[in-house]
Amino acid sequence: MSVWPAWKVRDGGGATVWFGVRLEFGDGARVDAVAVVSEGCVSIEDVRAEPALSLDDLAALADWIEGPLSEACGIGTGPDADVGEDGEDAEGAGAGRVRSGWPRGVEGQWLIAQKYRAAQEAGADPVLAVMSATGHSRRRSLRLIGQARDAGFLTPRRARR
């Protein structure tokens, strides 16, 4: 996979950065995408694939490019995740933050459960609370909530009728 900066637009105190992303597979398949980093979010703006992607593959595209795109943006995923390549924190530099320094493993699952239950008790959307706390997308936050359930920190989902 290759990731390269395409262009950058500064506005006020921040910046919006576009990146080109290319995935090439052994069977000759190729995916080209344009990703945008702005205000702490990474978005996929355009995708072209040969052959066309299935809906499942399109949904998995973000997972495929998350790590390499974070590296290209100068955004880490460890304890220094909030520091960009220029040494300024992501909020001040405008480079954005893909992921917070949220702990992994059992500690992270326990914290997810705490955020989830606190939002439920407050009458707020618990998934949005987890998204806000972790900085992850809805899809990734739902996975984290599922992991917290599997670990026993949240009650199992009720069966739908």
Side-chain angles (χ1 to χ4, degrees):
M1 174 172 9
S2 56
V3 178
W4 63 95
W7 64 92
K8 183 177 198 173
V9 176
R10 294 198 181 275
D11 54 352
T16 301
V17 184
W18 284 263
F19 288 88
V21 180
R22 174 170 281 171
L23 287 91
E24 294 181 282
F25 300 92
D27 62 357
R30 186 178 79 217
V31 178
D32 291 311
V34 176
V36 181
V37 179
S38 177
E39 296 180 13
C41 296
V42 176
S43 304
I44 305 297
E45 192 165 281
D46 185 38
V47 176
R48 294 176 189 212
E50 188 64 41
L53 294 174
S54 69
L55 288 177
D56 289 336
D57 289 342
L58 187 59
L61 179 63
D63 292 336
W64 293 343
I65 67 173
E66 179 181 26
L69 186 57
S70 295
E71 289 176 25
C73 295
I75 303 168
T77 57
D80 298 325
D82 295 341
V83 179
E85 63 189 10
D86 58 2
E88 293 184 15
D89 84 9
E91 301 294 325
R97 170 172 65 212
V98 174
R99 174 183 299 176
S100 67
W102 196 262
R104 295 177 185 257
V106 174
E107 181 184 1
Q109 293 166 350
W110 183 81
L111 290 171
I112 294 287
Q114 297 301 310
K115 294 290 182 186
Y116 188 94
R117 281 196 297 270
Q120 273 185 325
E121 290 169 7
D125 184 337
V127 177
L128 287 177
V130 170
M131 289 171 60
S132 176
T134 63
H136 287 298
S137 68
R138 182 173 188 81
R139 181 173 175 226
R140 178 71 177 132
S141 295
L142 287 168
R143 277 195 204 150
L144 292 171
I145 292 165
Q147 290 171 358
R149 284 187 199 290
D150 292 346
F153 295 122
L154 291 170
T155 58
R157 288 186 57 101
R158 287 172 246 162
R160 295 184 182 183
R161 296 178 187 205

